[in-house]
Amino acid sequence: MIDDKRIKLILTTAMNAGCSFAEVFAEDRDDVSLDFDCFLKSVSSMRTYGVGIYLFNGPKSIYLYSNNLDTTALEQLVLQGAQTLKTTAKATDFAFASYSPVIENPCPVKIYPSSCTNEDRIALLREANSIAREETESVKDIDLTYFDRDQRVVIANSNGLYVQDRRVTTRIRFIPHIQNKYGAISTFSDYCSPCGFEALKDGKYISTMQQSILDLEASLSAKKAPSGRKTVIMEGGSCTGTFFHEACGHQLETNALVKGGLFWDKRGQMVASEKVTLVDDGSMPYLYGSSRFDDEGHPRQKNILIQNGILKSYLVDRRGSILLGLEQTGSGRRQDYAHAPAARMSNTYLDVGTDDEDQMIRDTEDGIFVTSLGGGTGGDEFSLMATVAFEIKDGQLGSRLKGAMLTGRGDQTMLKIDRVGKNMIFEQGGGSFCGAESGFCATTTSGPRMRITDMLVGGEG
Amino acid sequence: MMDLFKRYQNAVGNLPSQIKEAEANIETIIRTDLWVKNGSLSRSQAFNQTKIYAYATVNSTGMVYTEDTEEDPISVFSRAANNSLLLSSPKRILRDETHSLSTEEGKTATVDEMESLGCLIESHLRFFEVVELRVSTAFRRLQTVNSLGLDSQTTSSWVEVEMEIRSTEDSRISGLAFSSAMTIDGLDAKIIAEKAMENAKENVIPSLSQVSLKSGKFNAVLSSQVMRNIFMTAWLEFSSRQMEKKGSLFKDVPSTQVGASCINISNVPSHPLIGQTWRADSAGQEVIAQTIVKNGLLNQSLKTLGRVAQMTGNIPIELTTVPSLFFIESGSQTEEALIEKMGNGLLITYSLDLFHSVNIASGDFSIPCGGFWISEGKKFGSVSQLTMVGNIGSLLQSIDSVANNLGFDYFYFRTYCVGSPSVLANCLSFSC
């Protein structure tokens, strides 16, 4: 890790050059990945090592990064940055590392990657490989990849903030290749954990892998999804949460608001059905989107975005805070030092309601029940790919469907949620990567089962 | 300290005895991005990053990636060798070819030149305002050295502009433009501004009412942007690696019919529409222009090696088949001529979800999209929230004609570019 002397030099140089604010994000990260397909195909070690420097001159900003950590080169980089910003203010004093908030790690680690051997990792992949191949005859092959990550960061700024954080994640990716009389298909699924190797030792990843194999196999013989407007029931867990992530989550981030997005200036207004209370919380224990601090050194916190249908707050990073005059919400995130931070979601969930889950299906005449989503996109219009769905006819679950693309506008579709279940399902062991301007960040999406009265389903049936 | 590449050149000549072969791929990118709005700079980004991919063979080949430029190259190769000891297969990935390649193209711009260009572009806007206007300049150097005698260094510098504008009279009307050249002199502010305004006019005509369609099969003109979105991932159908592991719709058999006779697909190291060049692939081999599809027949599979950005934020370590500039070649007619030829049908101008909508193994796609209903060759009304469903193979076969408006888009982290003109396709399935 870059030493404090160089961090202090960067901040001092920036403030002496007349910047109104300066921040250093220093990163030293080790990743290990192993590819397995009957035998070990590769072992790779990766070290991400560099520094990101954020300079402000009032509302104007420049983000600089480099892995040339030579003192003179860093000083030069900062001076060039200040020159680009055309700083003219007088040098301001600051107290380096004058405060360091103490926050408990929401994801304590038992087995750090450095104390885990490659033999341990290989044994796990061997076990997964044999279990997967025995699951069904349709499994013709399976590619497995094990990943672990140990990220150490120091975040210091010209307000005197100095925090250190260590984030460990472990993940196993399965890509089964399924082939039977109905055709061939392969796609990936991940089992993710925000802690060490201990997360895979309990074997819970096996049921995730087995389910993904069975889902893929079943999709080959599934009926083509219908098209048209339908009642859609989203199963609790990641389906419900992912809907909100794409339907409104990205529009509540300051990067969208700065451009005048759908929800700017709508605080206090009804933007969803009154059944909807939506939360984003990066401080939740053992969830993939959690950490002690965001990537700007702000403690993670619970943010109530929508309460009983009323828009309450946004997700705000430092730049968004400066440009829009909003309080930071612990949401400034980035993939690594090579990305400027931006307001991003973390663990997004719909809060529980009062409706009976089974009754939702019984009360649906013609609709679809979505139990797995393969991803989607957000914006003014959103889309969600349902990888596992079932038709509902006269209150009964029917055939399995394939190729159902759900689309709509967030501001219209959220008003059509008429039932929210009583049972919260968090995406434990799950999680995925959300890609946006500040790179790929770990997120989870959760919630109880819910019903949308009218949604556009794009299928071929 | 001695120049980084020189240290790796020395190291491959002085390897520890247990390492039989070693190779380093070093990529350096120096880049500046400026965002201009209201006549001045609003924010910017600048970086200088060097990435080292090191391979070492004992019996198999192991790899290490590092951004620590101060680590001794012998120590880096030794760590790669240690990783190889766990591998049971006698896999070897270094190429035997002995050659030296050295190219240098383009020129970066200064911050002042870039800011002036941005302001000039903005000044050419009439009845439109900037939502976002980015001017960037970059220098990319790829260096490869190995113990078998490969020694290559290629550099490419370029300047590019990307902008989004919206109407000052109706905020629903917005337009995009992208332009790129080897030097800043290759970019014309007026043309870029006009391109964005033209795009805005094509995209939204609010006076047209929304048309309600019933699901079914329609002839459709897919805009250049929609085709680029599809082939941002669908190029994988032509990847030699993908075909090898039976993960593609197509088999690597030359002369197989993969599309209509008007379809020609190429992968090239450079193109006049893009300032960046790819003279060498990520393993230091010269990128040779390849005709992938000629008159609808597969000529050869895509073979360029590269590292594709991971949709997880992980370091892209695996060398695999990745295009450089992959594109469907232009036809001779304008997009307007294609619309006129279609008569009645859909003009699809936007699509969503680049990364989840095409299954490469089966070729099946479900693509959320929208655009216009065309009646007797004229825009009759707008359509939105459609899903285009089908298969990449059938889509390529159904193409009746190809327009002359080739455009390119970068993939994440600028690892490659995909280009396509608009096409007229017959009988595509849309659900509404």
Side-chain angles (χ1 to χ4, degrees):
Chain A
M1 177 65 76
I2 180 173
D3 53 70
D4 284 354
K5 205 174 147 190
R6 279 182 282 183
I7 294 175
K8 190 177 176 184
L9 172 82
I10 293 167
L11 294 175
T12 308
T13 307
M15 298 314 282
N16 283 344
C19 292
S20 56
F21 174 82
E23 176 200 271
V24 172
F25 177 88
E27 180 178 18
D28 189 352
R29 189 179 94 194
D30 289 299
D31 290 77
V32 171
S33 84
L34 288 83
D35 285 325
F36 195 94
D37 171 13
C38 288
F39 59 88
L40 186 66
K41 283 161 59 182
S42 71
V43 181
S44 306
S45 330
M46 292 146 275
R47 185 162 181 222
T48 304
Y49 182 61
V51 64
I53 303 164
Y54 216 172
L55 306 180
F56 281 78
N57 180 20
K60 295 182 178 182
S61 62
I62 183 162
Y63 187 72
L64 310 161
Y65 67 86
S66 180
N67 61 335
N68 180 353
L69 302 181
D70 170 72
T71 310
T72 316
L74 288 171
E75 214 172 356
Q76 198 58 33
L77 186 67
V78 174
L79 289 173
Q80 277 171 6
Q83 197 183 356
T84 304
L85 284 177
K86 301 187 173 77
T87 52
T88 51
K90 278 188 180 169
T92 39
D93 288 336
F94 80 101
F96 177 68
S98 59
Y99 75 100
S100 301
V102 178
I103 306 281
E104 206 176 313
N105 187 357
C107 311
V109 176
K110 287 184 188 151
I111 307 173
Y112 281 90
S114 52
S115 49
C116 174
T117 66
N118 277 329
E119 284 72 19
D120 293 336
R121 295 170 174 121
I122 294 165
L124 183 108
L125 289 168
R126 278 212 179 93
E127 183 192 31
N129 178 61
S130 23
I131 293 171
R133 286 169 192 276
E134 281 166 16
E135 188 59 32
T136 144
E137 281 181 5
S138 304
V139 177
K140 298 301 169 203
D141 204 357
I142 182 158
D143 295 330
L144 297 161
T145 310
Y146 169 95
F147 302 90
D148 59 41
R149 169 172 295 181
D150 186 351
Q151 182 198 38
R152 284 89 59 196
V153 299
V154 173
I155 305 162
N157 70 29
S158 57
N159 292 342
L161 173 82
Y162 181 95
V163 298
Q164 290 178 311
D165 204 0
R166 186 171 183 183
R167 293 97 175 241
V168 171
T169 57
T170 310
R171 181 164 61 96
I172 182 164
R173 169 163 287 196
F174 333 106
I175 311 179
H177 302 277
I178 309 287
Q179 196 177 359
N180 59 23
K181 62 180 179 180
Y182 299 105
I185 194 166
S186 68
T187 193
F188 72 86
S189 54
D190 289 335
Y191 183 91
C192 311
S193 159
C195 35
F197 191 68
E198 70 274 10
L200 298 176
K201 284 183 90 176
D202 63 9
K204 281 185 187 160
Y205 75 91
I206 293 170
S207 52
T208 303
M209 177 179 74
Q210 289 170 321
Q211 194 57 49
S212 75
I213 291 170
L214 296 175
D215 283 345
L216 267 185
E217 185 185 40
S219 74
L220 282 174
S221 54
K223 213 169 115 177
K224 286 176 179 173
S227 57
R229 305 207 75 92
K230 300 270 171 198
T231 297
V232 174
I233 296 178
M234 295 280 187
E235 179 57 306
S238 66
C239 291
T240 294
T242 303
F243 166 83
F244 286 100
H245 182 106
E246 303 298 359
C248 72
H250 286 293
Q251 294 293 316
L252 298 174
E253 296 164 347
T254 45
N255 267 4
L257 302 172
V258 165
K259 294 179 197 166
L262 273 184
F263 296 104
W264 174 237
D265 222 13
K266 290 205 174 154
R267 276 178 300 170
Q269 293 180 30
M270 192 74 138
V271 295
S273 135
E274 61 179 17
K275 300 261 180 185
V276 173
T277 292
L278 185 69
V279 178
D280 187 83
D281 185 350
S283 66
M284 298 173 80
Y286 294 108
L287 286 186
Y288 202 47
S290 295
S291 59
R292 292 161 72 213
F293 303 97
D294 73 0
D295 294 319
E296 297 181 304
H298 195 290
R300 306 301 289 279
Q301 64 185 49
K302 178 177 178 177
N303 296 303
I304 298 175
L305 304 171
I306 298 172
Q307 192 166 38
N308 301 326
I310 309 282
L311 182 63
K312 288 289 181 188
S313 69
Y314 300 118
L315 295 169
V316 187
D317 62 332
R318 179 172 297 280
R319 180 169 171 267
S321 164
I322 291 171
L323 296 179
L324 301 169
L326 301 167
E327 287 290 313
Q328 280 178 257
T329 57
S331 311
R333 304 185 71 196
R334 55 182 124 200
Q335 179 179 307
D336 52 26
Y337 75 92
H339 291 80
R344 303 286 297 275
M345 287 171 271
S346 54
N347 305 303
T348 311
Y349 64 91
L350 173 70
D351 210 350
V352 290
T354 54
D355 297 306
D356 182 83
E357 273 82 358
D358 295 335
Q359 195 65 34
M360 281 183 214
I361 293 174
R362 285 198 293 272
D363 290 348
T364 301
E365 221 171 277
D366 179 21
I368 68 165
F369 178 44
V370 178
T371 61
S372 178
L373 289 171
T377 50
D380 286 3
E381 278 185 37
F382 68 88
S383 68
L384 297 163
M385 173 49 97
T387 48
V388 184
F390 299 86
E391 65 182 355
I392 308 173
K393 286 279 177 212
D394 302 322
Q396 300 287 321
L397 286 182
S399 311
R400 195 188 152 120
L401 304 170
K402 67 175 169 188
M405 181 64 84
L406 311 173
T407 56
R409 276 178 66 97
D411 54 347
Q412 293 166 0
T413 314
M414 287 197 301
L415 293 164
K416 294 174 183 167
I417 295 165
D418 73 335
R419 306 268 180 107
V420 173
K422 291 183 269 196
N423 300 306
M424 172 62 78
I425 303 176
F426 282 111
E427 204 183 3
Q428 297 282 357
S432 58
F433 297 91
C434 167
E437 198 172 343
S438 63
F440 289 90
C441 293
T443 56
T444 65
T445 53
S446 309
R449 186 181 293 180
M450 67 166 188
R451 190 171 83 163
I452 303 163
T453 54
D454 175 43
M455 204 173 176
L456 194 66
V457 180
E460 218 179 343
Chain B
M1 190 180 284
M2 195 195 292
D3 165 70
L4 180 71
F5 189 50
K6 190 92 196 147
R7 285 191 282 136
Y8 276 88
Q9 283 173 319
N10 287 345
V12 295
N14 295 285
L15 293 168
S17 57
Q18 84 276 16
I19 301 179
K20 293 177 188 162
E21 295 166 354
E23 178 172 305
N25 308 147
I26 302 176
E27 181 182 12
T28 301
I29 302 180
I30 302 171
R31 182 180 173 99
T32 303
D33 303 304
L34 301 184
W35 282 266
V36 174
K37 197 171 182 174
N38 300 327
S40 70
L41 179 148
S42 60
R43 69 184 165 114
S44 51
Q45 172 170 279
F47 67 85
N48 177 347
Q49 192 181 31
T50 298
K51 302 169 178 184
I52 303 160
Y53 304 85
Y55 300 84
T57 305
V58 178
N59 291 316
S60 294
T61 304
M63 85 85 58
V64 155
Y65 167 87
T66 184
E67 293 172 9
D68 183 355
T69 55
E70 288 165 18
E71 186 176 355
D72 175 20
I74 294 292
S75 145
V76 177
F77 285 132
S78 299
R79 290 197 292 121
N82 276 344
N83 281 342
S84 81
L85 298 176
L86 292 157
L87 305 176
S88 49
S89 63
K91 190 180 167 194
R92 198 176 145 272
I93 56 174
L94 305 190
R95 296 191 198 177
D96 286 329
E97 293 162 49
T98 301
H99 71 259
S100 165
L101 175 70
S102 180
T103 62
E104 202 175 329
E105 289 170 297
K107 186 174 170 251
T108 54
T110 66
V111 168
D112 286 343
E113 287 171 333
M114 292 159 68
E115 193 174 349
S116 301
L117 176 68
C119 293
L120 194 57
I121 294 169
E122 197 180 23
S123 73
H124 284 294
L125 296 176
R126 295 285 175 268
F127 309 111
F128 283 92
E129 63 182 2
V130 164
V131 177
E132 201 153 81
L133 196 173
R134 174 179 59 80
V135 185
S136 303
T137 189
F139 162 90
R140 180 174 183 251
R141 184 173 59 213
L142 278 175
Q143 297 166 304
T144 297
V145 62
N146 75 22
S147 56
L148 304 172
L150 174 64
D151 193 322
S152 94
Q153 171 161 308
T154 57
T155 68
S156 169
S157 299
W158 70 98
V159 186
E160 64 190 42
V161 175
E162 190 171 39
M163 70 188 295
E164 183 184 349
I165 56 169
R166 82 177 142 226
S167 163
T168 48
E169 292 172 346
D170 185 339
S171 62
R172 290 172 299 170
I173 304 178
S174 62
L176 302 168
F178 174 79
S179 221
S180 165
M182 279 194 187
T183 64
I184 198 158
D185 298 334
L187 296 173
D188 185 314
K190 194 172 174 209
I191 291 174
I192 296 168
E194 280 170 357
K195 201 167 149 186
M197 290 189 285
E198 198 53 43
N199 179 260
K201 282 173 200 157
E202 281 168 15
N203 279 346
V204 183
I205 302 177
S207 60
L208 292 179
S209 57
Q210 184 84 15
V211 173
S212 282
L213 290 177
K214 284 197 172 164
S215 301
K217 288 188 186 291
F218 302 98
N219 294 340
V221 171
L222 307 181
S223 72
S224 162
Q225 183 63 63
V226 169
M227 287 296 285
R228 280 178 267 156
N229 289 353
I230 295 171
F231 280 89
M232 195 54 78
T233 54
W235 64 264
L236 276 157
E237 302 290 6
F238 299 96
S239 146
S240 58
R241 288 278 171 103
Q242 205 70 21
M243 290 176 176
E244 213 174 275
K245 63 179 187 185
K246 297 187 171 62
S248 159
L249 187 59
F250 303 125
K251 291 192 174 103
D252 200 352
V253 180
S255 299
T256 310
Q257 185 90 38
V258 294
S261 59
C262 57
I263 293 294
N264 294 295
I265 300 177
S266 297
N267 185 66
V268 295
S270 65
H271 193 280
L273 291 176
I274 290 287
Q276 182 178 359
T277 57
W278 283 258
R279 293 294 165 208
D281 67 14
S282 297
Q285 306 295 314
E286 190 174 357
V287 174
I288 308 287
Q290 269 189 280
T291 299
I292 310 289
V293 176
K294 183 80 186 163
N295 300 330
L297 303 177
L298 183 72
N299 184 49
Q300 55 178 315
S301 59
L302 179 69
K303 296 192 170 62
T304 322
L305 283 182
R307 296 182 182 90
V308 70
Q310 304 285 301
M311 297 290 103
T312 56
N314 271 62
I315 311 291
I317 42 172
E318 194 194 353
L319 267 175
T320 184
T321 311
V322 177
S324 43
L325 287 151
F326 178 94
F327 67 104
I328 297 176
E329 288 176 20
S330 272
S332 56
Q333 303 175 69
T334 62
E335 188 191 66
E336 292 70 31
L338 261 52
I339 294 169
E340 203 172 313
K341 184 175 181 188
M342 176 174 70
N344 297 328
L346 287 161
L347 166 61
I348 301 299
T349 54
Y350 72 89
S351 66
L352 308 174
D353 203 354
L354 270 61
F355 303 112
H356 305 102
S357 46
V358 182
N359 185 301
I360 302 300
S362 64
D364 290 342
F365 60 74
S366 289
I367 301 171
C369 59
F372 297 93
W373 175 253
I374 303 292
S375 178
E376 294 175 7
K378 300 271 181 270
K379 283 176 185 168
F380 179 78
S382 62
V383 289
S384 63
Q385 297 180 29
L386 308 179
T387 305
M388 178 166 60
V389 286
N391 184 279
I392 293 293
S394 322
L395 170 68
L396 287 171
Q397 298 283 2
S398 72
I399 292 174
D400 173 275
S401 28
V402 179
N404 59 4
N405 58 345
L406 174 65
F408 281 94
D409 274 334
Y410 272 105
F411 183 60
Y412 270 117
F413 310 126
R414 294 173 156 68
T415 35
Y416 60 82
C417 276
V418 167
S420 176
S422 304
V423 300
L424 167 59
N426 294 325
C427 275
L428 295 182
S429 291
F430 288 87
S431 51
C432 327

